[in-house]
Amino acid sequence: RFACERHQAITQLVARVRSAMRPLLLKGHTRPLTFIKYNLEGDVFVSCAKDQRPTLWYADSGERIGTYKGHNGTTYSCDITRDSSRLVTASADSSVKLWNLVTGECIFTFEFKEPCRSVSFSLGEEYLLLTSDAFMGVQPAVRILKHSKDISEQTHEEVLCIKGAHPGRITRAIWGKLNKTFLTSCEDGMVRKFETATGKLLHEVKIHEKSIQMMDIDKEGNTLVTASLDKTSKLLDADTLEVLKTYVCDRPLNTAAVSPLKDHVAIGGGQDAASVTTTAGQAGKFEVVFYHKIFQEMFASVRGHFGPLNFVAFSPNGKSFTTGGEDGYVRVHHFDQDYFHTQYL
């Protein structure tokens, strides 16, 4: 009886999600999206794309506030300080830039010789965790940079640099609890855990058979979620890297995120971008797919993009989510009331 009632609730929710939610369609980029980041309060978010210009938006209305001009290549990722005063971006132009989030002014630039991919502030925002790609015979690297709250004291000081630990591209790097460790995902399907103070490799586990395209951590820092081209997403214990849950999908996956409000996981991807011109949107499987985090059941999908889904992010309060696709569009979805009151989900 319980299973039957839960199945009926899931069926009703699928119908309501598809019929009731009306997304905000934001056109501010001319190239595919790569990353989306909300600030702590969730009232604004920044989108990154291959068109060189990160863009700031109001999360509720979808109004564009402005763009950050200065990069000369794809911006792969970004992060925002807790007080929403600064933005950091990592770009393929071999630079990491610090910006005044409100005015759009570039206040400092870290220059490197390799394309920069993943960047994030530490807890307390004293450091930056950065990854760089292999380039001209130089191996992929993970770096920790010193970040000064007084911009006049900001330097190019590099606290740690780890090379040779990853045989392929490092797709994401995330701080562990209290900055004592950090974790990386790689295109070889491995997740690795390092000690921050020494750079020592503490643990590595083969999680996927193909490249891990994205890795994210929940708001408590207890679990990680991965998305891979092997058509699976996995929930890991952030301390032991043990696989807790596996979400099997029918498409290569580029992104995954854990809801901060409910036991839900959102994942997405789709047919490879090189073949998209010959495929209808429905056949390409470009929807956002929702799974129950515990039961591992798919209970809803949300259509919209007409190209592969590159990124999905929940708002900090879990009441909306934003997606970015290969089609260059940002779509902001606000959940209706049925989503919050449906039983068994």
Side-chain angles (χ1 to χ4, degrees):
R1 180 175 176 274
F2 172 81
C4 181
E5 290 180 349
R6 186 157 63 85
H7 177 72
Q8 291 176 352
I10 289 173
T11 303
Q12 292 172 2
L13 181 62
V14 170
R16 288 170 180 168
V17 164
R18 285 181 172 172
S19 63
M21 287 203 312
R22 293 291 182 267
L24 299 173
L25 184 61
L26 314 181
K27 182 60 175 175
H29 295 284
T30 58
R31 298 287 308 283
L33 272 290
T34 57
F35 201 84
I36 295 169
K37 180 67 179 182
Y38 281 88
N39 69 339
L40 182 64
E41 289 78 16
D43 57 339
V44 299
F45 67 88
V46 174
S47 59
C48 297
K50 294 183 178 180
D51 62 1
Q52 310 173 8
R53 293 186 178 181
T55 302
L56 182 66
W57 311 83
Y58 281 117
D60 285 336
S61 65
E63 179 185 354
R64 181 165 61 176
I65 302 172
T67 58
Y68 301 88
K69 300 179 182 179
H71 282 299
N72 294 313
T74 298
T75 49
Y76 283 118
S77 65
C78 66
D79 199 6
I80 302 172
T81 55
R82 291 179 66 85
D83 62 0
S84 300
S85 63
R86 288 186 188 176
L87 169 72
V88 63
T89 56
S91 173
D93 65 5
S94 304
S95 73
V96 172
K97 291 182 181 292
L98 288 170
W99 311 81
N100 183 311
L101 183 72
V102 178
T103 66
E105 176 191 3
C106 179
I107 54 179
F108 192 83
T109 300
F110 298 90
E111 296 286 353
F112 298 93
K113 296 181 180 179
E114 308 87 24
C116 303
R117 186 165 294 270
S118 173
V119 67
S120 59
F121 286 108
S122 65
L123 180 66
E125 296 161 0
E126 294 184 6
Y127 301 98
L128 291 168
L129 181 61
L130 170 70
T131 70
S132 57
D133 294 346
F135 185 71
M136 299 292 288
V138 179
Q139 294 178 314
V142 185
R143 293 178 166 88
I144 296 179
L145 309 174
K146 183 72 174 177
H147 173 242
S148 177
K149 294 188 177 181
D150 184 352
I151 199 62
S152 63
E153 299 177 358
Q154 182 66 58
T155 65
H156 202 292
E157 180 182 353
E158 196 170 87
V159 180
L160 181 70
C161 181
I162 301 174
K163 294 183 179 180
H166 302 83
R169 176 183 297 160
I170 308 166
T171 54
R172 192 84 172 103
I174 296 175
W175 290 99
K177 291 183 178 179
L178 300 176
N179 302 335
K180 293 183 178 179
T181 60
F182 61 87
L183 304 111
T184 63
S185 61
C186 185
E187 65 179 6
D188 64 355
M190 304 278 283
V191 173
R192 296 173 172 86
K193 186 176 184 179
F194 296 86
E195 185 178 46
T196 302
T198 63
K200 178 183 177 182
L201 177 61
L202 300 177
H203 195 30
E204 60 179 350
V205 180
K206 179 74 171 180
I207 303 297
H208 291 280
E209 295 303 315
K210 294 184 179 180
S211 172
I212 300 175
Q213 299 295 90
M214 182 53 60
M215 180 173 68
D216 197 15
I217 194 166
D218 66 19
K219 65 176 183 178
E220 291 87 9
N222 294 326
T223 57
L224 302 166
V225 65
T226 61
S228 173
L229 295 180
D230 66 6
K231 302 182 181 181
T232 63
S233 173
K234 297 189 179 183
L235 191 73
L236 314 178
D237 185 294
D239 291 327
T240 65
L241 302 187
E242 175 189 359
V243 177
L244 304 176
K245 302 290 179 180
T246 300
Y247 313 103
V248 181
C249 203
D250 59 354
R251 69 205 68 185
L253 299 177
N254 295 327
T255 180
V258 179
S259 170
L261 182 64
K262 300 175 78 71
D263 287 331
H264 296 166
V265 175
I267 62 178
Q271 181 188 14
D272 182 65
S275 306
V276 166
T277 53
T278 61
T279 305
Q282 187 173 356
K285 301 177 180 177
F286 307 138
E287 307 95 341
V288 187
V289 184
F290 288 84
Y291 283 76
H292 195 284
K293 186 166 73 172
I294 309 302
F295 299 129
Q296 305 173 77
E297 291 181 352
M298 190 273 280
F299 65 86
S301 64
V302 180
R303 298 175 184 170
H305 290 282
F306 49 90
L309 187 69
N310 290 340
F311 204 86
V312 60
F314 282 97
S315 64
N317 63 11
K319 294 183 178 180
S320 64
F321 69 97
T322 301
T323 60
E326 193 76 16
D327 54 14
Y329 283 95
V330 177
R331 301 176 74 92
V332 181
H333 305 255
H334 294 278
F335 292 114
D336 58 16
Q337 289 303 309
D338 288 334
Y339 173 82
F340 306 106
H341 298 126
T342 303
Q343 292 181 327
Y344 310 129
L345 290 177

